[in-house]
Amino acid sequence: MHSENPPPLASNDSRHERGLRALAEIDGEGGQKVVDALADIAPDFARYLVEFPFGDIYSRPGLATRDREIATIAALTALGHSAPQLEVHIQAGLNVGLSREEIVEVIMQMAVYSGFPTALNGLFAAKRVFAESSCETSHAK
Amino acid sequence: MHSENPPPLASNDSRHERGLRALAEIDGEGGQKVVDALADIAPDFARYLVEFPFGDIYSRPGLATRDREIATIAALTALGHSAPQLEVHIQAGLNVGLSREEIVEVIMQMAVYSGFPTALNGLFAAKRVFAESSCETSHAK
Amino acid sequence: MHSENPPPLASNDSRHERGLRALAEIDGEGGQKVVDALADIAPDFARYLVEFPFGDIYSRPGLATRDREIATIAALTALGHSAPQLEVHIQAGLNVGLSREEIVEVIMQMAVYSGFPTALNGLFAAKRVFAESSCETSHAK
Amino acid sequence: MHSENPPPLASNDSRHERGLRALAEIDGEGGQKVVDALADIAPDFARYLVEFPFGDIYSRPGLATRDREIATIAALTALGHSAPQLEVHIQAGLNVGLSREEIVEVIMQMAVYSGFPTALNGLFAAKRVFAESSCETSHAK
Amino acid sequence: MHSENPPPLASNDSRHERGLRALAEIDGEGGQKVVDALADIAPDFARYLVEFPFGDIYSRPGLATRDREIATIAALTALGHSAPQLEVHIQAGLNVGLSREEIVEVIMQMAVYSGFPTALNGLFAAKRVFAESSCETSHAK
Amino acid sequence: MHSENPPPLASNDSRHERGLRALAEIDGEGGQKVVDALADIAPDFARYLVEFPFGDIYSRPGLATRDREIATIAALTALGHSAPQLEVHIQAGLNVGLSREEIVEVIMQMAVYSGFPTALNGLFAAKRVFAESSCETSHAK
């Protein structure tokens, strides 16, 4: 459940396959939902999303996947304009081994760099994701 | 030189002393230069800078200092409007144990979240900081 | 329905009349709804909106109205904070001769300049506008 | 109801008490609601919110509270990504003595500095706050 | 030197004349330099700059010119991407009656809404403007 | 010199070759300089820059290269934080067939969507690029 390292790269592995694997590992269902939602409006964009962010960037060695999610949660909180993607990556952070506490710390710290309103909106996004995540856990019992 | 954990908190430790210690450990000379530059225009702001970001936030347990710098470098690269502060925190990342490679990976990843121009400008900031840092290292021999 | 050129300027044409004509041609009902919504809170702002963006800028020769909508859709997608105005201008793009495909291409391209989340949110805005637009077309039969 | 000056500072007054007083005076119920909403996700952040923005910044002499709200409404309108906080501060502006007309003027002016879409979204936020505020006034009769 | 009110509006006063008067009063030489710098690249834009921001917005009754500069300094500090325009408006603030202390307070407050880096860069802009302004004052003796 | 259409896609053409061709056609020397500047800090990022923006996006049919540059110039002017990249794309706009007048119109229009300061800074970027471009033309004689 916890992954410190990016998925291993077979030398003749295609970017697309590598991207799909990374997307599934990191974003779980959230990533697939985005890909599906693009099918009728911009299917090629779904392919780019799999291949560049996930097949190229998240699959690189040199930074643990857990650390990559710290960076993404920080950036999306700071930018403040993309709540749906922030929610997907808060869930992704949980998927790859960040604790709830660590995620909350990252978001709180953004008060210093992009202001209190962005940190507040980030914390409320975390609250929604954690609530849904707890819900699923208790249903699964 | 490498610190995975925030400085220990003595219970009767003042925010200001704690902040000065965290500032010195994390930002090194860069932090003190900013504090000095504020002396004649807004000395109270220098105090807030020591106390809130460093005495409150960076001194919190719950997230390693190294992880906090990943978050800060990501956010400042993504926001794209604060090159001097980004340079201070790239140096801070090196001070608290991030490798050059890890810093470059964080910045490159921002191409996905805030666009290629912010990542490019972040990489050129890293290039300046690394060059100066190498220079100091060789002078120190 | 397709207009490569801004409306001709009669020399003694008032900015306000010219702006109303451009607003009607470009934004259609969407523009008038915005003007109406301002009536009780800031009626002078409705006048400025007609006169500066539409009476001055969109009425200038030197750039085709179609090209102006490419610029506006690109900017609103990249800024990422104004979904309602982006929707109005995606419809405006259709009104002045951009194809759905061209609009999707402009929005997808923003992944490079402002990141994948802004492009994704732009594509979902286009999906909503195109769905409503198809609906109206089939009702009109 | 109208306050030109920040609350007086007793020399041995704690930041937290001073912050709570300023928060109550300025944001009224809106501020307390935010503090309450943080209780289960990040209670320490609620404390920072009381202490730094309100205990430190808004409690400073040197700028009237009314003038501080002009600055905040302007900034939140211009940034364009934090509608809930903008609404809280439009109400805060009314609480500390700005007239509806003055608030509308500040927001309209942002069309010049951050573009018409941010000004439009700010005006619609003001419309919502004013409507609710009128409602409460008439219920109170 | 201090102006609480916008210039009086003669009913048959043209927007352009009114704008030039407001520009001269508020921005002083800084405004004229910008207009001159536009002469060879976009002379019509110089005209719009005089007419819309200054002839329309700053000339409106309903908000004192001093209050308008608080709003502008706040917004430009918070946006963080337009240092030259921020400097012009810090000087404009001094021209229309804000004290240095009030300007510094507005900028410091932005740490709360757009983060410490934007406030720091705003304070350094103020430092540059105040230094030049002191210099001119002592030369004028 | 003027290209209404993206380069033709040979079916077995690699993304990298296609990207290099598009980069050379669109950005000219400016693009190669950026790639070279990345060689020692992040050579893989140079590869991504060639492959995703140029090999994938700019090489797509469905929008003329000229129209793509309108979108890019608009977005970079509006974002306001990436002057070096804006200059590269103003030159790119000239390379692919936009007239100086059209580029100036796109930038001016951004006053409506992201405010006058971003439009002013964009116009001054255009002034620098046009001056250098004229210089080269006269040297070439």
Side-chain angles (χ1 to χ4, degrees):
Chain A
M1 200 146 297
H2 176 137
S3 158
E4 284 288 336
N5 294 103
L9 267 75
S11 64
N12 58 356
D13 193 21
S14 83
R15 288 171 75 231
H16 197 76
E17 286 159 17
R18 201 168 61 217
L20 282 175
R21 252 201 335 270
L23 183 71
E25 184 209 343
I26 296 168
D27 280 0
E29 287 178 28
Q32 191 55 45
K33 273 186 203 164
V34 171
V35 166
D36 292 347
L38 289 166
D40 58 348
I41 182 97
D44 286 356
F45 197 73
R47 185 163 58 79
Y48 297 144
L49 183 67
V50 169
E51 291 178 359
F52 175 60
F54 292 94
D56 283 341
I57 298 291
Y58 281 91
S59 296
R60 290 176 62 79
L63 190 68
T65 305
R66 169 199 174 277
D67 294 347
R68 292 195 181 277
E69 285 303 329
I70 291 175
T72 299
I73 292 169
L76 290 176
T77 302
L79 291 167
H81 55 31
S82 293
Q85 287 77 23
L86 176 57
E87 292 188 23
V88 166
H89 281 279
I90 290 169
Q91 182 58 57
L94 296 174
N95 295 347
V96 299
L98 290 172
S99 69
R100 289 183 178 202
E101 185 186 10
E102 287 172 321
I103 290 169
V104 165
E105 290 293 327
V106 169
I107 296 173
M108 280 174 47
Q109 184 172 323
M110 292 304 105
V112 177
Y113 297 103
S114 51
F116 276 73
T118 58
L120 281 169
N121 292 328
L123 289 170
F124 295 138
K127 201 170 161 170
R128 289 191 297 273
V129 174
F130 294 169
E132 204 166 308
S133 177
S134 297
C135 206
E136 283 163 17
T137 307
S138 64
H139 281 159
K141 281 179 192 174
Chain B
M1 201 144 297
H2 176 136
S3 158
E4 282 290 337
N5 292 103
L9 267 76
S11 64
N12 58 355
D13 192 20
S14 83
R15 288 170 76 232
H16 197 76
E17 286 160 16
R18 202 167 60 215
L20 281 174
R21 244 192 354 259
L23 182 71
E25 184 209 345
I26 296 167
D27 280 0
E29 287 178 29
Q32 192 55 46
K33 273 187 203 163
V34 170
V35 167
D36 293 347
L38 289 167
D40 58 348
I41 182 96
D44 287 358
F45 197 74
R47 185 162 59 78
Y48 296 144
L49 182 68
V50 168
E51 291 177 1
F52 176 60
F54 293 94
D56 284 342
I57 298 292
Y58 281 92
S59 297
R60 292 176 61 79
L63 189 68
T65 306
R66 168 199 175 278
D67 293 347
R68 292 196 181 277
E69 285 302 330
I70 291 174
T72 300
I73 292 168
L76 290 176
T77 300
L79 290 167
H81 56 31
S82 293
Q85 287 76 24
L86 176 57
E87 292 188 21
V88 166
H89 281 280
I90 289 170
Q91 181 59 56
L94 296 174
N95 295 346
V96 301
L98 290 172
S99 69
R100 290 184 177 200
E101 186 186 10
E102 287 172 320
I103 290 170
V104 165
E105 290 293 327
V106 169
I107 296 173
M108 279 173 45
Q109 186 173 323
M110 293 303 105
V112 176
Y113 297 103
S114 50
F116 277 74
T118 59
L120 281 170
N121 292 327
L123 289 171
F124 295 139
K127 200 169 163 173
R128 289 191 297 273
V129 174
F130 294 170
E132 206 167 305
S133 177
S134 297
C135 205
E136 282 162 18
T137 307
S138 63
H139 280 159
K141 282 178 190 173
Chain C
M1 199 146 299
H2 176 136
S3 156
E4 283 289 337
N5 293 104
L9 267 76
S11 64
N12 58 357
D13 192 19
S14 82
R15 287 170 76 233
H16 197 77
E17 286 160 17
R18 200 167 63 216
L20 282 174
R21 251 200 338 267
L23 183 71
E25 184 208 345
I26 297 169
D27 280 0
E29 287 178 29
Q32 192 55 45
K33 273 185 203 164
V34 170
V35 166
D36 292 347
L38 289 166
D40 58 348
I41 182 95
D44 287 357
F45 197 73
R47 184 163 57 78
Y48 297 144
L49 184 69
V50 168
E51 291 177 1
F52 175 60
F54 293 94
D56 284 341
I57 298 291
Y58 281 91
S59 298
R60 292 177 60 81
L63 190 67
T65 305
R66 169 200 175 276
D67 294 347
R68 292 195 181 277
E69 285 303 328
I70 290 175
T72 299
I73 292 168
L76 290 176
T77 301
L79 290 167
H81 55 32
S82 293
Q85 287 78 23
L86 176 57
E87 291 187 23
V88 166
H89 281 280
I90 289 169
Q91 182 59 57
L94 296 173
N95 295 347
V96 300
L98 290 172
S99 69
R100 290 183 178 202
E101 185 187 9
E102 287 172 320
I103 290 170
V104 166
E105 290 293 328
V106 169
I107 296 174
M108 280 174 46
Q109 185 173 323
M110 292 303 106
V112 177
Y113 297 104
S114 51
F116 277 73
T118 58
L120 281 170
N121 292 327
L123 289 170
F124 296 137
K127 202 170 161 171
R128 290 191 297 273
V129 175
F130 294 170
E132 205 166 306
S133 177
S134 297
C135 206
E136 281 163 19
T137 308
S138 64
H139 280 158
K141 281 178 192 175
Chain D
M1 200 145 298
H2 175 138
S3 158
E4 284 287 338
N5 294 102
L9 268 76
S11 63
N12 58 357
D13 193 21
S14 83
R15 289 170 74 232
H16 197 77
E17 286 161 17
R18 200 167 62 217
L20 281 174
R21 256 204 330 271
L23 182 70
E25 184 208 345
I26 295 168
D27 280 359
E29 286 177 30
Q32 192 55 45
K33 272 185 205 165
V34 171
V35 166
D36 293 346
L38 288 166
D40 58 349
I41 182 96
D44 287 357
F45 198 73
R47 185 163 58 78
Y48 297 144
L49 183 67
V50 169
E51 291 178 1
F52 175 60
F54 293 94
D56 284 341
I57 298 292
Y58 280 92
S59 296
R60 292 176 61 81
L63 189 68
T65 305
R66 168 199 176 277
D67 293 348
R68 291 195 181 277
E69 286 302 329
I70 291 175
T72 299
I73 293 168
L76 290 176
T77 302
L79 290 167
H81 56 31
S82 293
Q85 287 78 23
L86 177 57
E87 291 187 24
V88 166
H89 281 280
I90 289 169
Q91 182 57 58
L94 296 173
N95 294 347
V96 301
L98 290 172
S99 68
R100 288 182 179 203
E101 186 186 8
E102 287 172 320
I103 290 169
V104 165
E105 290 292 329
V106 169
I107 297 173
M108 279 173 47
Q109 185 173 323
M110 292 304 105
V112 177
Y113 297 104
S114 50
F116 277 72
T118 59
L120 282 169
N121 292 327
L123 289 170
F124 295 137
K127 201 169 161 170
R128 289 191 297 272
V129 174
F130 294 170
E132 205 167 306
S133 175
S134 298
C135 205
E136 283 163 17
T137 308
S138 64
H139 281 159
K141 279 179 194 175
Chain E
M1 200 147 297
H2 177 135
S3 157
E4 283 290 336
N5 292 104
L9 268 76
S11 63
N12 58 356
D13 193 20
S14 83
R15 288 170 76 233
H16 197 77
E17 286 161 17
R18 200 168 62 217
L20 281 175
R21 248 195 347 262
L23 182 72
E25 184 209 344
I26 296 168
D27 280 0
E29 287 177 28
Q32 192 54 45
K33 273 185 203 165
V34 170
V35 167
D36 293 346
L38 289 166
D40 57 349
I41 183 94
D44 286 358
F45 197 73
R47 184 162 60 77
Y48 297 143
L49 183 68
V50 167
E51 291 177 2
F52 176 61
F54 292 95
D56 284 341
I57 298 290
Y58 280 92
S59 297
R60 291 177 61 81
L63 189 69
T65 305
R66 169 200 174 277
D67 294 347
R68 293 195 181 276
E69 285 302 329
I70 290 174
T72 299
I73 292 168
L76 290 175
T77 300
L79 290 167
H81 56 31
S82 293
Q85 287 77 25
L86 176 57
E87 292 188 23
V88 165
H89 281 280
I90 289 170
Q91 182 58 56
L94 296 173
N95 294 347
V96 300
L98 290 172
S99 69
R100 289 183 178 201
E101 186 186 9
E102 287 172 320
I103 290 170
V104 165
E105 290 294 329
V106 169
I107 296 173
M108 279 174 46
Q109 184 173 324
M110 292 303 106
V112 177
Y113 296 103
S114 50
F116 277 73
T118 58
L120 281 169
N121 292 328
L123 289 170
F124 295 138
K127 201 170 162 171
R128 288 191 298 273
V129 174
F130 294 170
E132 206 167 306
S133 177
S134 297
C135 205
E136 282 162 17
T137 308
S138 64
H139 281 159
K141 281 180 191 174
Chain F
M1 201 146 298
H2 176 136
S3 158
E4 282 289 337
N5 292 103
L9 268 75
S11 65
N12 58 356
D13 193 20
S14 83
R15 288 170 76 233
H16 197 76
E17 286 161 17
R18 199 168 63 216
L20 281 175
R21 252 198 340 265
L23 183 70
E25 183 208 345
I26 296 168
D27 280 1
E29 288 177 28
Q32 192 55 45
K33 273 185 203 165
V34 171
V35 166
D36 292 347
L38 288 166
D40 58 348
I41 183 93
D44 287 358
F45 197 73
R47 184 162 59 78
Y48 297 142
L49 183 67
V50 168
E51 292 178 0
F52 175 59
F54 293 94
D56 284 341
I57 299 292
Y58 281 92
S59 297
R60 291 176 62 81
L63 189 68
T65 306
R66 168 199 176 276
D67 293 347
R68 292 196 181 275
E69 285 303 328
I70 290 175
T72 299
I73 292 169
L76 290 175
T77 300
L79 290 167
H81 56 31
S82 293
Q85 287 78 24
L86 177 57
E87 292 187 23
V88 166
H89 280 280
I90 289 170
Q91 181 59 55
L94 296 173
N95 295 347
V96 301
L98 290 172
S99 69
R100 290 184 178 201
E101 185 186 11
E102 287 172 320
I103 290 170
V104 165
E105 290 294 328
V106 169
I107 297 173
M108 281 175 46
Q109 185 173 323
M110 293 303 105
V112 177
Y113 296 102
S114 51
F116 277 72
T118 58
L120 281 169
N121 292 327
L123 289 170
F124 295 138
K127 200 170 162 172
R128 288 191 299 273
V129 174
F130 294 169
E132 205 167 305
S133 176
S134 298
C135 206
E136 282 162 17
T137 309
S138 64
H139 280 158
K141 280 178 191 174

